[in-house]
Amino acid sequence: MDREEASKLLHDSRIKIDEMDEKLIDLIEKRTSLARDIVNAKLVLGIEIEDKKREEYIQAKIKEIARKKNIDEIKLTRIIKILTDMSKEEQKRILRR
């Protein structure tokens, strides 16, 4: 690969990453928006916002996926923990209304 090819590859790869970042952000927004449905269901079912069994299930599922896809398990678990925390914060915000 020469410099011109390397430069094009770098440029094209960065464009793809930018597009993926936008899609990831859209998915995070959609995931977070489900908090209203979740909190309403939890209220009817008498379930606390903090659902340790669900969180344990999610963490186990993420670890399995990470292993299958050869992704760093610890880092992926951290990312999903952040998403879970965002959902819980949104549920708490909805309850305060």
Side-chain angles (χ1 to χ4, degrees), residues 32-66:
T32 304
S33 72
L34 291 170
R36 177 170 298 288
D37 294 341
I38 291 168
V39 78
N40 287 333
K42 284 180 176 180
L43 286 171
V44 171
L45 297 170
I47 299 172
E48 297 290 325
I49 288 177
E50 298 280 337
D51 186 347
K52 293 297 180 190
K53 284 185 182 179
R54 174 68 180 163
E55 290 180 38
E56 289 169 7
Y57 165 78
I58 291 169
Q59 293 300 320
K61 178 181 74 167
I62 294 308
K63 288 177 183 180
E64 182 180 330
I65 291 169

Side-chain angles (χ1 to χ4, degrees), residues 9-91:
L9 179 62
L10 178 61
H11 175 76
D12 292 348
S13 295
R14 286 179 172 167
I15 287 173
K16 288 177 184 175
I17 286 174
D18 289 345
E19 291 169 354
M20 286 181 208
D21 286 347
E22 192 166 331
K23 288 177 183 178
L24 283 169
I25 291 166
D26 287 344
L27 287 171
I28 291 168
E29 186 274 328
K30 288 176 184 173
R31 187 183 194 283
T32 304
S33 72
L34 291 170
R36 177 170 298 288
D37 294 341
I38 291 168
V39 78
N40 287 333
K42 284 180 176 180
L43 286 171
V44 171
L45 297 170
I47 299 172
E48 297 290 325
I49 288 177
E50 298 280 337
D51 186 347
K52 293 297 180 190
K53 284 185 182 179
R54 174 68 180 163
E55 290 180 38
E56 289 169 7
Y57 165 78
I58 291 169
Q59 293 300 320
K61 178 181 74 167
I62 294 308
K63 288 177 183 180
E64 182 180 330
I65 291 169
R67 279 185 232 119
K68 284 180 183 176
K69 295 189 177 278
N70 198 29
I71 299 172
D72 186 303
E73 187 179 313
I74 293 170
K75 289 178 183 169
L76 188 58
T77 300
R78 285 184 197 153
I79 291 168
I80 297 302
K81 172 83 169 90
I82 290 168
L83 294 173
T84 303
D85 289 346
M86 286 175 69
S87 179
K88 288 190 293 189
E89 288 169 15
E90 182 66 9
Q91 290 175 54

